């Protein structure tokens, strides 16, 4: 992987003789990466002088934007989506495994619930919950798979609440019982209005893996390529890890 200095050197070589930059990189990013991507974009912009604009959406929402003809410089989404676009020639360069986000559980502030320490405590949380909330997206489907693998599908079926889109934490906050919600760690650990109960144990864990790619025909391709290189640096990895995305 290239170091941060090398990435910014590549940007410096693109500078006009007067030193001005008019380029802008448009980045489409899956929503759970927001805490890290906002910091990374700000750091890249400050060091390179290249303007950054990030559009956050769900993975299906990003796919819809592409289908409508929107074209970012860099796309960051589920790795399988990036691979398919690369295979079809719509993505030129790929940075695989730029982020990996584990699943966790949360409840409302003030609710008495034990933290997750192992597989048994995870099972007990689900069995004792009044409702189990998760979304209809890839992370929610992954959590549903873990319920099945834990052998609890039939026991908790009546209290499962699947929320369309990414509003599952809002649904949690509306309730008044002993409710829990599954989510990705980047969302759970940064929301001060809920109580984080811990990451799922290794036996019930299903991380969501993300990749990034430069879009064919996107604006500012050289700058977009430099940002892709930045995402592969140890410096970027440290920011992602701090946000719960590694």
């Amino acid at each position: 992987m290239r170091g941060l200095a090398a990435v910014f050197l590549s940007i410096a070589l693109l500078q006009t003789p007067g030193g001005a930059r008019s380029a802008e990189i448009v980045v489409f990013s899956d929503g759970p990466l927001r805490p890290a991507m906002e910091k990374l974009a700000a750091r890249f912009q400050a060091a390179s002088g290249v303007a950054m604009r990030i559009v956050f959406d769900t993975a299906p929402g990003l796919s819809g934007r592409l289908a409508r003809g929107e074209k970012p410089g860099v796309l960051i989404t589920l790795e399988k989506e990036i691979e398919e676009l690369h295979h079809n020639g719509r993505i030129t360069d790929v940075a695989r495994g730029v982020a990996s986000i584990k699943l966790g559980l949360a409840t409302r502030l003030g609710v008495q619930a034990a933290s997750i320490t192992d597989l048994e405590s995870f099972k007990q949380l689900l069995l004792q919950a009044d409702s189990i909330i998760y979304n209809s997206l890839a992370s929610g489907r992954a959590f549903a798979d873990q319920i099945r693998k834990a052998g609890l599908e039939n026991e908790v079926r009546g209290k499962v609440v699947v929320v369309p889109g990414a509003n599952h934490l809002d649904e949690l906050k509306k309730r008044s019982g002993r409710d829990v919600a599954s989510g990705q760690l980047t969302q759970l650990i940064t929301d001060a209005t809920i109580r984080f109960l811990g990451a799922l144990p290794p036996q019930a864990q299903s991380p969501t893996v993300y990749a990034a790619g430069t879009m064919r025909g996107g604006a500012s391709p050289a700058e977009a390529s430099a940002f892709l290189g930045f995402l592969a640096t140890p410096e970027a990895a440290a920011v992602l890890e701090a946000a719960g995305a590694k």
Side-chain angles (χ1 to χ4, degrees):
M1 290 188 286
R2 291 184 292 174
L4 187 60
V7 172
F8 290 147
L9 176 60
S10 68
I11 283 289
L13 294 174
L14 296 170
Q15 298 286 344
T16 61
R21 285 302 311 162
S22 58
E24 177 187 67
I25 304 172
V26 178
V27 178
F28 282 7
S29 174
D30 202 355
L33 293 168
R34 180 189 287 267
M37 283 302 151
E38 288 181 336
K39 293 178 181 179
L40 291 172
R43 185 170 180 179
F44 185 87
Q45 178 170 314
S48 69
V50 177
M52 301 290 296
R53 179 163 64 89
I54 306 184
V55 176
F56 294 102
D57 208 333
T58 63
L62 294 176
S63 295
R65 289 174 181 273
L66 297 180
R68 292 191 296 271
E70 297 182 46
K71 191 170 291 185
V74 175
L75 174 66
I76 309 168
T77 189
L78 304 176
E79 190 165 77
K80 64 179 182 179
E81 302 279 352
I82 293 291
E83 294 290 5
E84 182 177 351
L85 290 167
H86 187 228
H87 177 75
N88 293 334
R90 299 182 65 188
I91 290 280
T92 54
D93 296 314
V94 175
R96 295 174 175 84
V98 295
S100 177
I101 308 178
K102 294 180 179 180
L103 294 172
L105 282 178
T107 188
R108 292 186 318 285
L109 293 176
V111 172
Q112 295 298 313
S115 297
I116 299 172
T117 56
D118 52 24
L119 182 60
E120 186 58 32
S121 63
F122 166 65
K123 290 181 177 181
Q124 288 303 313
L125 268 173
L126 298 186
L127 292 171
Q128 295 168 9
D130 292 331
S131 65
I132 301 168
I133 305 164
Y134 54 88
N135 64 38
S136 62
L137 304 173
S139 61
R141 294 192 297 273
F143 180 71
D145 287 341
Q146 298 311 311
I147 292 177
R148 285 190 287 272
K149 289 179 181 178
L152 298 178
E153 182 178 17
N154 292 332
E155 293 183 70
V156 304
R157 188 190 305 276
K159 50 187 177 182
V160 164
V161 179
V162 182
V163 179
N167 298 316
H168 51 299
L169 296 183
D170 291 334
E171 179 64 28
L172 172 67
K173 297 169 192 177
K174 293 176 184 177
R175 294 181 172 252
S176 58
R178 195 173 183 179
D179 313 290
V180 297
S182 172
Q184 293 176 283
L185 292 195
T186 51
Q187 300 168 314
L188 301 184
I189 66 178
T190 56
D191 191 334
T193 66
I194 59 176
R195 180 186 164 209
F196 178 50
L197 296 173
L200 271 57
Q203 306 95 314
Q205 190 55 256
S206 183
T208 302
V209 179
Y210 294 91
T214 49
M215 294 293 299
R216 187 177 301 279
S220 307
E223 290 82 358
S225 180
F227 183 66
L228 193 71
F230 171 52
L231 293 177
T233 63
E235 290 86 347
V239 173
L240 288 158
E241 183 174 5
K246 275 290 186 181

